[in-house]
Amino acid sequence: MKEKRIETIAELENALEEIESGEGLSTFVEGHGLQSLRFRFEWSEPLLRISYDLPTGRALSPEEDQKADDAEAGAAIRLAIVLLRAFEQGKPESFEDGTLIVSCDDDDGARYEIRADDGSVIDEEEGWSGLASRLEGIFGNLAEELVIFWP
């Protein structure tokens, strides 16, 4: 799992570079055509699940919509990197017992929840600001290295 995590973080960092370069996202992109490309990312382990399904590369959309798509995908990628690093050694102290589930898609928007082993919801929130608050202080120098901009 450690090797897979390292490879996935490297792929996410590559995707972030693609967005920041302005050349367009190609890593974790599925679909075809001018308006149907999707940024899709999935990660699943006992303590952490991440699921993203966001539009990207919509060439016929207004420029401001394309920038918004990139900003949302960029924030999702940054969050995935931070979470994968945070959970490298198991569950960080700032999380209750259970599985952290983070998602972002067209239907439900950005959200997170923590589910107990029996499936009951311990905590949930639309948006990621509460999750960001939980992650503060976990990383030390990492927080200075990787700045997350929330769309």
Side-chain angles (χ1 to χ4, degrees):
M1 181 62 99
K2 182 178 181 176
E3 217 171 276
K4 174 75 172 151
R5 183 183 303 273
I6 291 168
E7 290 171 12
T8 301
I9 290 171
E11 288 178 286
L12 287 165
E13 289 172 339
N14 182 62
L16 191 56
E17 287 177 21
E18 290 173 352
I19 287 176
E20 291 175 347
S21 73
E23 294 177 17
L25 186 60
S26 64
T27 306
F28 299 113
V29 173
E30 297 177 8
H32 54 20
L34 298 173
Q35 288 292 101
S36 62
L37 296 178
R38 308 289 297 178
F39 167 67
R40 290 196 174 116
F41 175 75
E42 298 282 333
W43 179 267
S44 185
E45 62 182 72
L47 300 176
L48 175 64
R49 284 189 272 164
I50 304 170
S51 176
Y52 299 145
D53 183 1
L54 299 167
T56 190
R58 297 187 294 175
L60 301 178
S61 295
E63 186 176 337
E64 63 189 43
D65 289 350
Q66 292 177 40
K67 287 181 180 180
D69 289 349
D70 286 349
E72 189 168 27
I77 291 167
R78 286 178 181 91
L79 180 60
I81 293 169
V82 168
L83 289 171
L84 288 172
R85 289 181 178 169
F87 281 73
E88 277 179 322
Q89 307 301 322
K91 185 183 301 284
E93 289 181 21
S94 61
F95 291 91
E96 292 93 350
D97 290 336
T99 300
L100 174 62
I101 303 167
V102 178
S103 63
C104 191
D105 60 37
D106 294 339
D107 296 328
D108 297 324
R111 60 178 293 108
Y112 82 93
E113 61 185 36
I114 300 174
R115 289 199 173 260
D117 293 339
D118 66 5
S120 62
V121 176
I122 297 171
D123 185 23
E124 67 181 329
E125 182 178 312
E126 290 185 23
W128 290 334
S129 59
L131 180 57
S133 296
R134 287 175 175 269
L135 291 168
E136 287 179 0
I138 292 176
F139 296 101
N141 292 340
L142 179 60
E144 296 170 12
E145 293 173 23
L146 185 65
V147 178
I148 298 179
F149 296 97
W150 305 104

